[in-house]
Amino acid sequence: MATENFQAPKGTRDFYPEDMAVRRYIEDIWRRVSVRHGFQEVDGPTFESLDLYKVKSGEEIVSQLFSFTDRGGRDLALRPEFTPTLARMVAQRGAGLPRPIKWFSIARCYRAEQPQKGRLREFMQWNVDYIGDTSDRAERECLALCVDALREFGLDDADFHVGWNHREWLNRLLTSTFVSPDRLGAAYYILDRLHKYDRKALYSEQKCSDGEREWFDFIADTKNQSLAELTDLLIQKKSSGGAPERSQTAALSSEIYSTVREFEKRLKDNGLGAMCRFDLSIVRGLAYYTGFVFEVSDRQGENRAIAGGGRYDNLIKMFGGPSLGAVGFGMGDVVLEILLRQRNKLPGAILDNHRNPDVFIVNALEDTTCAESLIFQLRRSQWDAARARIEHPGLYAACSYRSTRNIGKLLQEAAASGAKLAVILAPAEFQQGLAKLKNLAERTEREIPLASLVAEIRQRCPAGPALSRPPSG
Amino acid sequence: MATENFQAPKGTRDFYPEDMAVRRYIEDIWRRVSVRHGFQEVDGPTFESLDLYKVKSGEEIVSQLFSFTDRGGRDLALRPEFTPTLARMVAQRGAGLPRPIKWFSIARCYRAEQPQKGRLREFMQWNVDYIGDTSDRAERECLALCVDALREFGLDDADFHVGWNHREWLNRLLTSTFVSPDRLGAAYYILDRLHKYDRKALYSEQKCSDGEREWFDFIADTKNQSLAELTDLLIQKKSSGGAPERSQTAALSSEIYSTVREFEKRLKDNGLGAMCRFDLSIVRGLAYYTGFVFEVSDRQGENRAIAGGGRYDNLIKMFGGPSLGAVGFGMGDVVLEILLRQRNKLPGAILDNHRNPDVFIVNALEDTTCAESLIFQLRRSQWDAARARIEHPGLYAACSYRSTRNIGKLLQEAAASGAKLAVILAPAEFQQGLAKLKNLAERTEREIPLASLVAEIRQRCPAGPALSRPPSG
């Protein structure tokens, strides 16, 4: 077995320090923005019983899962997404949770598929859910959080846009105009692909009637209309096509329609008008979403969707919980990282993955005892035992790993590290119980008694270490 | 399938917000302390090829793994620990990595076992490795980091101690005194259990000779001796037992013995003397460790080991990499969390999992448009586009989710939330383009034009949100 050459499994990633710095940057922004929007972090097991995943997605999901059997004969599967776990957790606590439930998770998820660009077999997914509110405030809280996070990455409406639609409105519009209820599934399937695939092939695959073909052609050609315009156009076409079936058109100007119109207005009020666009082709999971749905896309259209979500009012009940309105979305790390690299939005300090030490110990003594003890003391936090809290956080103390004791060479290394301070332990001063403390930026130095060195350095480094680039030159 | 009652799989955990706050606290300390000790974070896939795990641990490991087969027929397994992935990653980059390699990971790991107290089927493991250094500096860097992290959690030598041993020294001592090379495995097995199980049962299970029994009894009764004392005692016994085999005792006073003695001295120099104790019964993985080994235990002996590790100089080579000296340790979250709860070391703010908002919006207007837009603006970071950086981080802006517009009740809710500031949107001021900004701690308020409200609030909240308890009363 020895000396075999192993590699990471297909569709998974090794995170060397420079890769991990990027992943940590992404996860930290997801977390930071979630928290200031009032969401709380949760997580669950990486694997669940296989049956849990069938509740939301049916039997078909099984072929897309990594599944296995434990020693007790239970069928388990690695999570393809967090939502089933979330629904189970909410259902389990039921009425005991304060409303609204505002939760997020940063969960590692798995797909047993052929890896493609932007789609791996193992990935991180930011999952955000707002549960226990049927007002459209929930939609806006989720959407604002999603957009705010993308902005925090330095992306703006030149980089991404949000396409949105409303499933309940879409159902009514389609059934009021040209789709019979048994053809809704086919209609969604076609709408989802109308701008991506060959229309004729799509129509014949879905066995469309001539009437349906005419309607879909009409829809395809009215791309990029606003909600109001599109509704009017379709109702007009329906009315002009024969009997002006008043009861059906009336259904569209009812509650749903005004909800959706109000929603569109509120997006503008909240400064999201420029990046949010009504889009009839945003359909998403058929059995799952019940109202508003949205998808965030790369403005240049190069990549897969960056994020997606919507309202799913039936899900918690399906998992045995109370009937609770809910809105949520997910964003994966794979497409996001590709986009951030393409747009050059990853900060240099993250790409460099360099952290400036607070202090660099230059040891010119033959014995390493003092240098080592000093480093460990500096790295340790100063505890206030009486108040049971950290009085001063530990510092990032570094040193050379080379064997040289040449002060000049070691000071060069200290300066290159970006350290603010250097301690010089040299024989002459050391014999007098002293060390030199050098401010590398200001090029000043002072002799300090060894006994007060740690306190002196702590005083000069009030905060913990900050991630930053080494100084150039 | 609907309304089934699902639960988390056996031996896994649901992390509700209050549980996740504790996990996040533990992981943050692991990360923070690692970074200031100059270690860099890495990660790898959650699953690897099954064969990878056999390299380090042999065929026996297979029964302890969750394993499965992917669609390509590859045998994969969920990681039981991070070390094989680490060894693969180092081997893959080989000579290209700067030395020493100081890496840590916070990896979710899996064991297909019956769950027990302190031992679950899914857990987080902090893994620290220092690679490319054969000097005992590596041991001390790892040990200092491990102890510093425990201190950062508020634990001290009343709570835990470190038992250590040295495999190479132990090999020489045992073979120099009473153990034939083919009996080393049995001797380790017995030493590991000497103070935990019935001695006689252990001896007969391992088919000990009368001579071996006498030696093990002698060792058992010399518990808690220092390294020097124990070495002397055993050599003395050997010499007194017959021929004073000088060449063998000489082997023990050679390089290895002085290395180990020097190590013991350095622990004291670094202030670790009080919590580190030489312990002959610390043996750990037979095929894996090559020198220094250590284990961190609960001082009161209630729990399983808190952490463990040692030197493993052959591992990277076994995975096809260069021959590199290496020291590492692992610490799991399960025993650590039990210990922190038992010793009452989890800060109240973590247990409460409450975060004070920076600002609370009290909306007494019928229309929610202004309140909502204000909240979203405050939560958004202020970008400096020219410098492509965040000028002011987004604030944690909160509001009531109740339907009341009673200012008194809403202000009570604002105060209870621990918010520093409250914005009051009331009809009279609003009509004049004004809002009241109230400092809840100082009980002062001022009228501010709506247009400058966001800038004013940002000025009063210079830093991002901090995790703290709500004020009492």
Side-chain angles (χ1 to χ4, degrees):
Chain A
M1 190 70 67
T3 72
E4 269 198 50
N5 279 315
F6 289 102
Q7 299 202 318
K10 203 174 69 163
T12 69
R13 290 168 288 177
D14 284 334
F15 292 89
Y16 286 90
E18 63 276 18
D19 312 309
M20 195 64 202
V22 173
R23 184 173 133 199
R24 186 61 51 220
Y25 172 75
I26 289 174
E27 292 184 27
D28 283 351
I29 287 189
W30 283 344
R31 185 168 292 119
R32 180 167 82 216
V33 180
S34 300
V35 165
R36 74 182 187 228
H37 281 252
F39 286 77
Q40 294 193 301
E41 188 168 6
V42 295
D43 195 6
T46 315
F47 53 81
E48 295 268 10
S49 74
L50 184 61
D51 285 341
L52 185 83
Y53 296 114
K54 296 181 193 166
V55 175
K56 182 188 156 197
S57 309
E59 284 287 340
E60 317 87 79
I61 189 75
V62 175
S63 70
Q64 298 156 37
L65 298 177
F66 286 111
S67 58
F68 51 98
T69 306
D70 76 0
R71 258 150 269 288
R74 298 170 198 88
D75 288 323
L76 302 167
L78 293 182
R79 58 185 174 198
E81 55 163 342
F82 187 69
T83 308
T85 297
L86 172 101
R88 178 180 62 67
M89 285 172 66
V90 172
Q92 243 165 259
R93 291 258 170 118
L97 294 164
R99 314 274 167 82
I101 300 161
K102 292 175 69 178
W103 283 357
F104 76 97
S105 65
I106 296 175
R108 212 159 189 181
C109 298
Y110 307 85
R111 279 189 211 103
E113 295 174 345
Q114 192 65 22
Q116 300 167 39
K117 190 192 168 197
R119 206 170 160 88
L120 299 178
R121 303 206 298 175
E122 183 183 41
F123 56 98
M124 301 305 302
Q125 177 133 319
W126 179 37
N127 192 77
V128 173
D129 293 275
Y130 189 111
I131 298 164
D133 192 341
T134 50
S135 83
D136 59 4
R137 172 188 187 124
E139 276 88 344
R140 289 192 303 274
E141 285 240 21
C142 287
L143 193 55
L145 170 53
C146 182
V147 168
D148 193 14
L150 292 171
R151 281 175 163 154
E152 193 88 355
F153 286 111
L155 299 168
D156 60 28
D157 39 338
D159 303 303
F160 71 93
H161 67 248
V162 181
W164 66 276
N165 195 352
H166 195 286
R167 290 290 298 269
E168 210 180 331
W169 167 88
L170 186 61
N171 278 1
R172 294 275 188 109
L173 183 74
L174 293 176
T175 52
S176 301
T177 48
F178 74 101
V179 178
S180 62
D182 64 306
R183 291 287 291 163
L184 262 179
Y188 285 142
Y189 184 90
I190 292 167
L191 285 177
D192 183 33
R193 289 158 182 80
L194 202 51
H195 299 300
K196 296 173 202 153
Y197 298 95
D198 177 67
R199 250 186 249 176
K200 281 188 184 154
L202 206 52
Y203 295 162
S204 60
E205 183 198 328
Q206 293 298 312
K207 301 187 179 59
C208 288
S209 66
D210 287 347
E212 286 176 335
R213 283 167 195 251
E214 194 202 315
W215 276 94
F216 283 122
D217 282 340
F218 180 77
I219 288 172
D221 297 335
T222 57
K223 201 191 163 189
N224 284 339
Q225 303 290 335
S226 78
L227 171 76
E229 286 165 335
L230 188 77
T231 308
D232 287 350
L233 275 171
L234 290 176
I235 299 293
Q236 231 170 50
K237 177 171 163 64
K238 173 71 180 174
S239 306
S240 71
E245 295 159 42
R246 286 195 163 272
S247 63
Q248 287 175 336
T249 58
L252 266 175
S253 56
S254 75
E255 203 187 318
I256 298 164
Y257 185 57
S258 31
T259 303
V260 181
R261 285 299 299 271
E262 169 66 15
F263 186 79
E264 192 172 39
K265 185 184 163 301
R266 288 298 278 270
L267 290 178
K268 285 184 189 133
D269 291 338
N270 286 322
L272 298 169
M275 57 181 61
C276 292
R277 192 179 66 188
F278 170 77
D279 184 341
L280 192 69
S281 72
I282 304 295
V283 172
R284 302 190 62 84
L286 184 66
Y288 180 51
Y289 291 107
T290 56
F292 170 74
V293 283
F294 76 98
E295 221 169 80
V296 184
S297 315
D298 173 5
R299 181 74 79 175
Q300 296 183 21
E302 290 169 39
N303 298 301
R304 289 166 179 281
I306 301 163
R311 177 171 284 280
Y312 54 94
D313 284 346
N314 302 330
L315 193 75
I316 307 297
K317 207 172 173 185
M318 282 167 71
F319 283 80
S323 175
L324 286 173
V327 179
F329 71 86
M331 184 187 293
D333 70 330
V334 181
V335 171
L336 178 64
E337 183 179 333
I338 291 172
L339 184 70
L340 293 175
R341 288 187 189 275
Q342 284 171 346
R343 298 290 190 282
N344 196 24
K345 296 291 184 189
L346 289 171
I350 298 300
L351 292 170
D352 291 350
N353 188 32
H354 175 87
R355 199 175 286 259
N356 297 358
D358 294 297
V359 50
F360 195 101
I361 311 298
V362 168
N363 183 36
L365 306 174
E366 194 163 346
D367 185 16
T368 58
T369 313
C370 176
E372 193 174 289
S373 158
L374 188 59
I375 287 174
F376 292 155
Q377 276 181 74
L378 287 166
R379 286 177 181 167
R380 194 179 300 158
S381 289
Q382 188 181 5
W383 263 84
D384 179 338
R387 295 203 280 175
R389 66 172 209 190
I390 290 169
E391 203 54 31
H392 193 291
L395 299 173
Y396 175 12
C399 61
S400 177
Y401 289 101
R402 297 184 301 165
S403 58
T404 181
R405 291 200 299 275
N406 179 307
I407 295 184
K409 284 187 186 163
L410 290 170
L411 275 175
Q412 273 174 14
E413 194 176 335
S417 78
K420 193 166 133 185
L421 301 172
V423 171
I424 304 164
L425 297 172
E429 293 94 5
F430 187 73
Q431 279 172 3
Q432 302 169 57
L434 297 171
K436 270 193 197 128
L437 181 58
K438 188 166 175 143
N439 186 317
L440 291 167
E442 299 172 7
R443 294 168 184 266
T444 54
E445 63 180 38
R446 261 182 61 198
E447 286 186 347
I448 310 270
L450 288 168
S452 53
L453 198 51
V454 171
E456 176 73 27
I457 293 169
R458 278 187 181 146
Q459 212 180 346
R460 297 208 196 177
C461 299
L467 183 71
S468 59
R469 274 179 209 262
S472 48
Chain B
M1 191 70 68
T3 72
E4 270 198 53
N5 279 315
F6 289 102
Q7 298 201 318
K10 203 174 70 162
T12 70
R13 291 169 287 178
D14 285 334
F15 293 88
Y16 285 91
E18 62 277 18
D19 312 310
M20 195 64 202
V22 173
R23 183 173 132 199
R24 184 61 52 220
Y25 171 75
I26 289 174
E27 292 184 27
D28 283 351
I29 286 190
W30 283 344
R31 184 169 293 120
R32 180 167 81 216
V33 180
S34 300
V35 165
R36 76 183 186 225
H37 281 252
F39 286 79
Q40 295 193 300
E41 188 168 6
V42 296
D43 196 7
T46 315
F47 54 80
E48 296 269 7
S49 74
L50 184 61
D51 285 341
L52 186 82
Y53 297 114
K54 296 180 192 165
V55 175
K56 182 188 156 198
S57 310
E59 285 287 338
E60 317 87 79
I61 189 75
V62 175
S63 69
Q64 298 155 36
L65 298 177
F66 286 111
S67 59
F68 51 98
T69 307
D70 76 359
R71 259 149 270 288
R74 298 170 198 87
D75 288 324
L76 302 167
L78 294 182
R79 59 185 174 197
E81 54 162 344
F82 187 68
T83 307
T85 297
L86 172 102
R88 177 180 63 66
M89 286 172 65
V90 172
Q92 242 164 259
R93 290 258 169 119
L97 294 164
R99 314 275 166 82
I101 301 161
K102 292 175 69 178
W103 283 357
F104 76 97
S105 65
I106 297 174
R108 211 158 190 182
C109 299
Y110 308 85
R111 280 190 210 102
E113 296 175 343
Q114 192 65 22
Q116 301 166 41
K117 190 191 170 197
R119 206 171 159 88
L120 299 178
R121 302 207 299 176
E122 183 183 39
F123 55 99
M124 302 304 302
Q125 177 133 318
W126 179 36
N127 191 76
V128 173
D129 294 276
Y130 188 111
I131 298 165
D133 192 340
T134 50
S135 83
D136 60 4
R137 170 183 191 127
E139 275 88 342
R140 290 191 302 274
E141 285 240 19
C142 287
L143 194 54
L145 170 54
C146 181
V147 169
D148 194 14
L150 292 171
R151 281 175 163 153
E152 195 87 354
F153 286 110
L155 299 168
D156 59 29
D157 39 340
D159 303 304
F160 70 93
H161 67 248
V162 181
W164 66 275
N165 195 352
H166 194 287
R167 289 290 298 271
E168 210 180 332
W169 168 86
L170 185 61
N171 279 1
R172 293 277 186 108
L173 182 74
L174 293 178
T175 51
S176 302
T177 48
F178 73 103
V179 178
S180 62
D182 64 306
R183 291 288 291 164
L184 261 179
Y188 284 141
Y189 184 90
I190 293 167
L191 285 177
D192 183 33
R193 290 158 182 80
L194 203 52
H195 299 300
K196 296 173 201 153
Y197 298 95
D198 177 67
R199 247 187 250 175
K200 279 187 187 156
L202 205 52
Y203 296 161
S204 61
E205 183 198 328
Q206 294 297 312
K207 301 185 180 59
C208 288
S209 67
D210 287 347
E212 286 176 336
R213 283 166 196 250
E214 192 204 316
W215 275 93
F216 284 121
D217 281 341
F218 180 77
I219 289 172
D221 297 336
T222 56
K223 204 190 163 189
N224 284 340
Q225 302 291 336
S226 78
L227 170 74
E229 286 164 336
L230 188 77
T231 308
D232 288 349
L233 274 173
L234 291 176
I235 298 293
Q236 230 169 51
K237 178 170 163 66
K238 173 72 179 175
S239 307
S240 71
E245 293 160 44
R246 287 195 162 272
S247 63
Q248 288 175 336
T249 59
L252 266 175
S253 56
S254 75
E255 205 187 316
I256 297 163
Y257 185 57
S258 31
T259 303
V260 181
R261 286 298 300 271
E262 170 65 16
F263 186 80
E264 192 172 39
K265 184 183 163 301
R266 288 298 277 271
L267 290 178
K268 286 183 188 134
D269 291 338
N270 286 322
L272 298 170
M275 58 181 61
C276 292
R277 192 180 66 186
F278 169 77
D279 184 342
L280 191 70
S281 72
I282 304 295
V283 173
R284 301 189 62 82
L286 185 67
Y288 179 52
Y289 290 108
T290 56
F292 170 76
V293 284
F294 76 98
E295 222 168 81
V296 184
S297 315
D298 173 6
R299 180 75 77 176
Q300 295 182 22
E302 289 170 39
N303 299 300
R304 291 168 177 280
I306 301 163
R311 178 171 283 280
Y312 54 93
D313 284 346
N314 300 330
L315 192 76
I316 307 297
K317 207 173 175 184
M318 281 168 72
F319 283 80
S323 174
L324 285 174
V327 179
F329 71 87
M331 184 187 293
D333 71 329
V334 181
V335 171
L336 178 64
E337 184 178 334
I338 291 173
L339 184 69
L340 293 175
R341 288 188 188 275
Q342 284 172 344
R343 298 290 191 283
N344 197 24
K345 296 291 184 190
L346 289 170
I350 298 301
L351 292 170
D352 291 352
N353 189 32
H354 176 86
R355 199 175 286 259
N356 297 358
D358 294 298
V359 50
F360 196 101
I361 312 298
V362 168
N363 184 35
L365 306 175
E366 194 163 345
D367 185 15
T368 59
T369 313
C370 176
E372 193 174 289
S373 157
L374 187 59
I375 286 174
F376 292 156
Q377 277 181 74
L378 287 167
R379 286 177 181 167
R380 195 178 300 157
S381 288
Q382 187 180 6
W383 262 86
D384 179 338
R387 294 204 279 177
R389 64 172 211 190
I390 291 170
E391 202 55 31
H392 193 292
L395 300 174
Y396 175 12
C399 61
S400 177
Y401 289 101
R402 298 183 302 166
S403 57
T404 181
R405 290 200 299 276
N406 178 308
I407 295 184
K409 284 187 186 164
L410 290 170
L411 274 175
Q412 273 173 15
E413 193 175 334
S417 78
K420 192 165 133 186
L421 302 172
V423 172
I424 304 164
L425 298 172
E429 294 94 4
F430 187 72
Q431 279 172 1
Q432 302 170 57
L434 297 171
K436 270 194 197 127
L437 181 59
K438 187 167 177 144
N439 186 318
L440 290 167
E442 299 171 6
R443 294 168 184 266
T444 55
E445 63 180 38
R446 262 182 62 198
E447 286 186 347
I448 311 270
L450 288 168
S452 52
L453 198 52
V454 171
E456 176 72 29
I457 293 169
R458 278 187 181 146
Q459 213 180 345
R460 296 208 197 176
C461 300
L467 183 71
S468 60
R469 276 179 209 261
S472 47

